[in-house]
Amino acid sequence: MHAPLPDPRLRTATLASHGLIAASLLLVMWQGLLPGLLCVCVGFFCTRWLSPRLALPARQADRQAPRLAATVVALLPLLLLALALPRTRGLILDAPAQYRELLGFLARTVLELRDRLPSDIGAQLPEGAVEIQRAMASYLASKAGTLATTGRAWLSGLLFAYVGLLIGALAAARPSTPGLTPLAAQLHLRVRRFGETFRQIVVAQFWIALFNTCLTAVFLLAILPLTGHRLPYTMALILLTFVAGLIPIVGNLICNGVLTLVGLSVSPGVALACLAFLIAIHKAEYFINAKVIGHRTHMGVWELLSVMFVMEAVFGPAGLVAAPLFYAYGKKELQASGWV
């Protein structure tokens, strides 16, 4: 017997849902709404996680638990911001200016590399290294110039992120609707798979980035000062460690390069200590990656690097963050359809 042909309405709804999701993701990238999208997912999962923990045995209280959880998720960031703003106002509001100064500082450090190294090591550098230093310094300076115009975009990104958090919390508190139409059911399936991918990749990477950031903060704020050394731009470096830690593979390289260069501006010994510490952290991170992420995503390193390279070329730094999530989601959809 032949297998029954799929319902034409279902097939049309499936194709339409794929097109709508793809168009939505492209719109998110083109309009710079990625922080909002990620925070929609964060708000949704935080509310869903918190709801059963706030539920009481009474039925009425159970029905109110999702609304209470959504309220907590919506108000908690405002409360934390109100408590932390007096201490972190400059770090939050002036972040683009701080990183512009940091990039300029790195550019000067690269140009002075021969002078900062011990004389016997500096003498071994080939003459062609000067041109490489100038190219690197020019690249860093150009990125610093780009950051000069991102102050307003940074504040807009924070606003979009909070609005996304509200949307996710409200969506999680909304009761489920039975009897969806074909298109709505297919969109619901697409969104559910995207949420599963987010939980597999971004949530795990978040904890890995938090682990790296905590250890880096201990190193920069406690261990180095005990030796009589302090790195400039310490708080900016800690925040960079967390943000770059959300980017698999490439984020580690960024952190290694920046922290080692800043350490070199103090002394070669400090640069060596920073590099050794970062290597130790990333060895521990590989173990955590194996335990937390494992083989659930079925992504090879070459696949991930290729997609990140293309996404960064098309969408800039946001493409680096979105590439693992979007690629894993697309692969999940292809696997569900039996194409790969």
Side-chain angles (χ1 to χ4, degrees), residues 29 308 310-321:
M29 298 305 299
M308 292 170 71
V310 173
M311 290 283 284
E312 196 278 336
V314 176
F315 298 110
L320 285 175
V321 179

Side-chain angles (χ1 to χ4, degrees), residues 12-254:
T12 303
T14 302
L15 292 175
S17 67
H18 282 298
L20 287 172
I21 291 296
S24 299
L25 295 180
L26 285 175
L27 181 64
V28 163
M29 298 305 299
W30 278 329
Q31 296 300 316
L33 299 177
L34 182 63
L37 174 65
L38 297 180
C39 285
V40 167
C41 298
V42 170
F44 183 89
F45 285 114
C46 286
T47 303
R48 286 292 174 89
W49 179 85
L50 196 58
S51 294
R53 289 160 177 79
L54 296 178
L56 297 175
R59 292 183 179 179
Q60 184 66 26
D62 281 341
R63 289 197 296 268
Q64 296 300 323
R67 298 179 183 178
L68 180 59
T71 302
V72 171
V73 170
L75 295 181
L76 186 60
L78 296 179
L79 178 61
L80 294 177
L81 185 62
L83 294 175
L85 191 59
R87 296 178 178 272
T88 61
R89 181 179 181 276
L91 182 64
I92 294 174
L93 299 182
D94 301 330
Q98 292 185 37
Y99 285 104
R100 184 173 69 249
E101 294 176 8
L102 175 60
L103 285 173
F105 180 79
L106 292 176
R108 293 192 298 273
T109 302
V110 169
L111 286 175
E112 300 167 0
L113 181 61
R114 191 183 296 268
D115 297 331
R116 294 184 180 277
L117 291 173
S119 56
D120 52 341
I121 297 178
Q124 300 299 320
L125 292 177
E127 292 300 324
V130 176
E131 296 300 323
I132 298 176
Q133 290 173 238
R134 289 174 181 168
M136 291 177 60
S138 298
Y139 175 79
L140 293 170
S142 68
K143 295 300 181 183
T146 302
L147 280 175
T149 60
T150 58
R152 183 175 299 177
W154 165 251
L155 295 178
S156 299
L158 290 178
L159 178 61
F160 288 147
Y162 182 69
V163 172
L165 191 74
L166 290 179
I167 293 173
L170 293 175
R174 181 177 179 270
S176 58
T177 304
L180 296 174
T181 59
L183 180 57
Q186 288 300 311
L187 284 173
H188 183 268
L189 178 60
R190 304 279 89 75
V191 171
R192 182 166 60 82
R193 285 179 181 162
F194 185 85
E196 291 172 357
T197 307
F198 177 88
R199 186 169 61 248
Q200 287 178 341
I201 293 182
V202 177
V203 173
Q205 198 67 34
F206 170 84
W207 289 112
I208 293 169
L210 188 62
F211 170 80
N212 284 350
T213 304
C214 291
L215 291 185
T216 303
V218 170
F219 177 72
L220 295 180
L221 299 176
I223 297 177
L224 267 186
L226 289 178
T227 66
H229 299 287
R230 289 183 180 274
L231 293 189
Y233 305 101
T234 298
M235 296 308 297
L237 290 173
I238 292 173
L239 183 58
L240 175 65
T241 301
F242 177 74
V243 175
L246 297 175
I247 307 172
I249 305 172
V250 178
N252 294 342
L253 298 177
I254 294 173

